[in-house]
Every structure is written in C-alpha cells, then in structure tokens.
C-alpha cells in the first residue's frame, strides 16, 4: 500500500482523514497520527540532577562512619542553619545521602512543578517515611534550573527480624510527585522559526515520504520535503507566517500509515520472541529433535535388624531414561506465509521458545528468512 490521499470533504482546520484514490475509505494497514510518529526538532526535555539529604528515617539511614559524604553534608547543612557540629561525634541513623533526578519539560515556565526521583547513595536500607531537604537541580551546563523538596513516596519495603528478612520492591528509591519547582526557563523561540524539522521516532524512508506527501496534499505542494529516513523539513507556507503553532497543530493530526522493516527481536535471557507482520520465509523443511537423558537419584536407607551390631547405611538407587524424540518429523513451512501461518507452523513442531530461537536463526542462516534478526 502506498500513502493515503486526503478525502474530498476535508476542511482547512479539521484533522485529515485519509482515503483511497476514489475518495472512499482507505485500504490496508492501520494509520497513525504524525503526532505519534515524529517529534518536533528542538522541542525536547532536559535532564536535571542534584545531590541532597533525606531526613526523618526510622533508623534506616546511612552509617555515618561508612558514608563520610553523608556526615560532611550533614555538618555543612547544620552550619548553614547556625549549628556548629565540627569535631562532634554524630551517630544518627535517620539521615541518608541521595541523588535527585528529574526531567525539565520543553517550554517549562517558572513556578511549574515537576516530578522528581530520589535514589539512595550510601548504605541506607530504606527511604520510607523520609523527607527530602531542599535540593538544587542542575543541568548539563552546571546551572540550577529547579529545586526539589518534599516527602518521599516509596513503593517497596524492608522488614527483618532475628533470623529472617523480607524485601519487597526497591525501598532505597522513591518518588516525589510535584516535588520539583522550576526556577529557570530554557528559551526557545518556536514561533520565530522559518523552517521546522520533524524527527521520526522510527527512521524509515517510506514513512518519511508518506509523511511529506500527506502534509503536501493537505497544505500545498512544496511545504514538506523528506531529507533522510529520520527527518522531514517543513517550510513556512503562506497564510501561516508568524503562526507556526497553528501549522504544527494541523500537521500533527494528519494520519499516515507507517512502514517498518521485517524484523525479529529475540531476548535470549528471557526467551522472548517478537516478530513483525512483514516477516516472510521461503519454502523450507524444519525438524527439531533433541536427545534427552534424565538421571534420577532415589537413595534408600538400609537399617540393620533389631538388637544387632549393624549400622544404618544409605543405598543409592539410580534411574536413567533416554528420550530420542522418535515421533518428531520434518515440517514444511511454505513460501510466502504470513505471520500467523509462520507461528502456527513452528508451533506444530512442538518446540519451546528456546528451541524456536535456534530454529529461526538456522532458517536465517539457510537464507530462507526474509527478515532481520536482532538479538537483545
């Protein structure tokens, strides 16, 4: 299927729906909004990081002797508050040093609140019930863009007794909802741009061409041009001068059918296999059979007769079974089958995910698999 053409009933301000060449309903695959396929270049988040202290812990904080940075930070904070603890012995277990991270959203304004994540830095066992003291959050340039403070919400927990311990989740990491306050804005004059580039989240030449074609058919020829598999350039058309927000608002609602590579993704650690709908195979015969040897040890205790000088001994008992998979036969996978037929054909052989991974790699090595295999 090629790109879809806009319907005749479309208006300049409505979101475009796409139809076939005759103006009727479109054929084939599922369409997505350009808003969900591409990002506006330059409109991005910025990562922030800071170092701070969490106080109010119920004896689950850092050991000050084992975490000297926590002790130094605590002394510095108390000195700023007018308390001199230099040379004193501090043995509190209610303080923990933490790293605070957050994402500064695009066009974030002063006074806007953001979520922050708090993670233990020392040997603290839990941040449950703690409160983060005001912490500056810096960007990559070393400037402070936000400050964070508030009660830490921890999902996990840690409970222990004399001979047992239960840990659920990660009690040494938590989150503060709306705990960050933006103090500095990052200037970005979007409305002053004369050209804008759309960055595709999944680079593909066909998708880039379809996006450009949909924009040109909706607004006018020459507005959009695909530059490479990952970007489409937009020129400011007449009628939108000085109002790029309106242009982007209408463009991002256009619907396009994205294309994708025929790919099989394999995670060998967990045995997960994900196959795209365009995966195809040539006619190939597949057989799977393993020699399985099972050894079972069942020791038996042999006891002496009563009132004798005999000793109790353990007599080993071993059972060995061999499975040669005699009932396994060759299975024919026909040429040009779709994804469902391919999966059904491989499942008919009676293999598990681990064996299926080896079979797919063998089919690829034989040149009969028209897809890319990516091993995670």
């Amino acid at each position: 299927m090629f790109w879809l053409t806009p319907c005749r009933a479309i208006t300049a301000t409505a979101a475009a729906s796409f139809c076939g060449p005759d103006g009727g309903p479109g054929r084939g695959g599922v369409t997505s909004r350009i808003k969900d396929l591409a990002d506006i270049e330059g409109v991005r988040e910025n990562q922030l990081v800071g170092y701070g202290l969490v106080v109010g812990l119920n004896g689950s904080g850092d050991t000050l002797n084992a975490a000297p940075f926590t002790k130094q930070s605590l002394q510095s904070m108390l000195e700023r508050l007018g308390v001199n603890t230099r040379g004193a012995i501090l043995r509190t277990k209610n303080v923990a040093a933490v790293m605070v991270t957050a994402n500064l959203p695009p066009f974030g304004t002063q006074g806007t609140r953001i979520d922050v994540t708090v993670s233990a830095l020392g040997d603290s066992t839990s941040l449950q019930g703690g409160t983060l003291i005001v912490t500056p959050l810096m960007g990559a340039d070393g400037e402070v863009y936000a400050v964070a403070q508030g009660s830490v919400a921890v999902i996990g927990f840690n409970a222990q007794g004399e001979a047992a311990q239960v840990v659920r989740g990660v009690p040494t990491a938590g989150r503060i909802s709306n705990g960050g306050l933006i103090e500095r804005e990052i200037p970005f004059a979007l409305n002053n741009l004369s050209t804008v580039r759309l960055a595709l989240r999944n680079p593909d030449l066909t998708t880039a061409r379809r996006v450009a074609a949909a924009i040109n058919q909706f607004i006018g020829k020459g507005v959009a041009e695909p530059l490479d598999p990952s970007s489409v350039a937009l020129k400011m058309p007449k009628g939108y001068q000085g109002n790029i927000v309106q242009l982007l608002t209408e463009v991002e609602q256009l619907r396009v059918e994205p294309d994708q590579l025929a790919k099989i993704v394999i995670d060998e650690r967990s045995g997960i296999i994900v196959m795209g709908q365009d995966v195809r195979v040539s006619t190939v015969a597949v057989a799977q059979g393993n020699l399985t040897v099972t050894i079972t040890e069942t020791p038996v205790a042999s006891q002496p007769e009563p009132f004798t000088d005999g000793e109790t001994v353990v007599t080993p008992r071993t059972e060995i079974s061999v499975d040669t998979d005699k009932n396994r036969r060759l299975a024919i996978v026909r040429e040009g089958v779709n994804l469902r037929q391919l999966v059904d054909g491989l499942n008919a052989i009676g293999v598990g995910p681990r064996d299926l991974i080896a079979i797919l790699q063998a089919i690829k090595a034989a040149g009969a698999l028209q897809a890319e295999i990516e091993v995670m």
Side-chain angles (χ1 to χ4, degrees):
M1 178 179 178
F2 201 56
W3 67 82
L4 302 172
T5 56
C7 300
R8 298 189 182 96
I10 195 170
T11 61
T13 56
S17 61
F18 288 85
C19 305
D22 57 351
R27 302 179 293 114
V30 179
T31 61
S32 300
R33 298 180 302 174
I34 293 180
K35 182 177 185 177
D36 302 321
L37 298 177
D39 296 317
I40 302 172
E41 191 176 43
V43 180
R44 55 182 291 271
E45 293 182 337
N46 288 273
Q47 296 177 331
L48 305 178
V49 65
Y51 170 82
L53 293 176
V54 170
V55 298
L57 302 177
N58 187 19
S60 60
D62 293 339
T63 304
L64 298 186
N65 291 333
F69 47 84
T70 304
K71 182 177 180 179
Q72 294 174 7
S73 302
L74 178 60
Q75 290 175 338
S76 299
M77 181 192 69
L78 293 177
E79 284 183 353
R80 289 196 300 268
L81 297 177
V83 179
N84 184 10
T85 58
R86 296 292 178 180
I89 300 176
L90 301 178
R91 294 181 179 178
T92 177
K93 286 279 292 181
N94 300 334
V95 181
V98 294
M99 296 300 296
V100 185
T101 57
N103 288 328
L104 181 64
F107 309 109
T109 57
Q110 290 185 6
T112 303
R113 289 193 170 272
I114 57 177
D115 297 340
V116 299
T117 301
V118 180
S119 304
L121 188 62
D123 60 353
S124 171
T125 57
S126 177
L127 299 180
Q128 184 73 41
T131 300
L132 176 69
I133 302 300
V134 58
T135 302
L137 301 180
M138 299 178 292
D141 56 357
E143 299 291 338
V144 176
Y145 289 91
V147 292
Q149 181 172 278
S151 299
V152 182
V154 178
I155 298 178
F157 68 89
N158 180 11
Q160 62 181 358
E162 293 295 335
Q165 180 179 8
V166 176
V167 179
R168 179 67 58 85
V170 183
T172 55
R175 192 172 181 84
I176 306 177
S177 180
N178 292 329
L181 191 65
I182 297 178
E183 296 290 344
R184 176 180 299 184
E185 302 177 9
I186 298 180
F188 183 70
L190 177 64
N191 214 34
N192 295 336
L193 299 178
S194 58
T195 59
V196 179
R197 290 207 302 178
L198 301 178
L200 297 182
R201 296 170 185 172
N202 296 314
D204 183 83
L205 283 171
T206 303
T207 303
R209 185 182 177 188
R210 290 177 182 176
V211 169
I215 296 173
N216 289 332
Q217 290 171 359
F218 176 66
I219 299 178
K221 293 183 178 180
V223 175
E225 178 185 3
L227 302 179
D228 49 58
S230 62
S231 58
V232 177
L234 297 181
K235 298 179 181 179
M236 184 65 65
K238 295 180 180 180
Y240 292 92
Q241 298 294 336
N243 195 1
I244 195 172
V245 174
Q246 180 183 354
L247 172 64
L248 295 175
T249 300
E250 296 182 356
V251 164
E252 69 182 7
Q253 297 299 324
L254 301 178
R255 305 191 73 89
V256 175
E257 180 187 355
D259 199 16
Q260 60 180 356
L261 293 173
K263 179 182 290 188
I264 300 175
V265 180
I266 297 174
D267 187 351
E268 290 187 327
R269 291 170 295 181
S270 59
I272 295 176
I273 305 172
V274 179
M275 293 187 285
Q277 65 175 356
D278 295 323
V279 175
R280 295 292 184 270
V281 295
S282 302
T283 301
V284 63
V286 179
Q288 188 272 341
N290 293 322
L291 178 64
T292 304
V293 180
T294 304
I295 302 177
T296 304
E297 295 286 353
T298 309
V300 178
S302 178
Q303 296 183 350
E305 294 293 332
F307 306 106
T308 63
D309 294 334
E311 296 180 356
T312 300
V313 296
V314 178
T315 304
R317 178 178 295 178
T318 303
E319 296 181 1
I320 301 178
S321 61
V322 179
D323 183 7
T324 57
D325 291 337
K326 295 180 180 180
N327 295 326
R328 300 291 173 86
R329 298 292 185 268
L330 282 171
I332 303 297
V333 181
R334 300 295 180 184
E335 182 177 4
V337 298
N338 57 30
L339 179 59
R340 178 180 295 274
Q341 293 170 335
L342 174 61
V343 173
D344 291 342
L346 293 176
N347 286 338
I349 307 175
V351 299
R354 300 290 181 182
D355 294 328
L356 187 56
I357 292 174
I359 289 175
L360 291 173
Q361 292 175 334
I363 295 176
K364 177 66 175 178
L369 180 64
Q370 282 73 52
E372 176 187 352
I373 294 182
E374 178 180 342
V375 180
M376 298 177 61

